[in-house]
Amino acid sequence: MPQIRPITDLRNTTEISELCHAKNEPIFITKNGYGDLVIMSMETYEALTASPVQARPANGPEEMCLLTEQSPIWAGMLADVLQQHHILFAKESSLGAGLALKAGSLSEVIRFFVPSSQLAPARELVEELFEKEQS
């Protein structure tokens, strides 16, 4: 379950830093009851932004396979579902961060990669989530 904290909690930087490192996931910061910021440890950021080659397990190179391409709107939902099912994945923007800001998110596509051993269950989830969109 994601951590959601009010912006006033940022006053205690040590506690927030320890929480970021302990959870190994982003922490959502609200301002006046609305989402405002997302903070995370550097390790978590590097893991989330790792290229598919960097995402290979340390115990041996496992091939990363393209799972799907989704718009940024659907990419967040797919990432949540894959995490809930404990499927490792890496994602990358088709534009890169700089171009995505200039070109806008409408032209951006997010590519999802999964280890070859998890490709079949991941494909089932994608088909389940997006079958209505394809019909």
Side-chain angles (χ1 to χ4, degrees):
M1 181 155 202
Q3 280 283 324
I4 301 171
R5 305 292 290 261
I7 199 163
T8 54
D9 282 5
L10 293 180
R11 291 180 186 145
N12 189 344
T13 56
T14 302
E15 178 187 347
I16 292 295
S17 175
E18 288 172 357
L19 186 61
C20 285
H21 289 282
K23 290 289 185 179
N24 290 327
E25 63 182 24
I27 297 175
F28 299 89
I29 305 297
T30 61
K31 182 177 181 182
N32 298 324
Y34 295 96
D36 187 46
L37 302 169
V38 176
I39 60 172
M40 64 187 81
S41 68
M42 290 185 73
E43 293 84 9
T44 302
Y45 175 77
E46 289 169 355
L48 288 173
T49 59
S51 72
V53 174
Q54 295 169 325
R56 291 182 179 161
N59 60 355
E62 184 173 359
E63 184 180 354
M64 296 296 284
C65 302
L66 178 64
L67 173 63
T68 187
E69 294 181 338
Q70 296 295 328
S71 69
I73 294 170
W74 295 109
M77 179 183 68
L78 178 57
D80 287 344
V81 169
L82 291 172
Q83 285 176 342
Q84 289 170 2
H85 287 84
H86 307 289
I87 295 177
L88 299 174
F89 67 93
K91 60 183 182 173
E92 67 179 19
S93 169
S94 61
L95 298 177
L99 282 175
L101 289 173
K102 289 189 179 262
S105 61
L106 293 178
S107 58
E108 184 179 19
V109 174
I110 307 296
R111 294 185 185 111
F112 283 82
F113 297 87
V114 296
S116 56
S117 63
Q118 296 182 322
L119 185 59
R123 279 193 175 150
E124 287 178 22
L125 289 170
V126 168
E127 288 172 7
E128 219 176 286
L129 287 171
F130 302 109
E131 69 183 334
K132 290 182 181 179
E133 182 180 302
Q134 295 171 356
S135 303

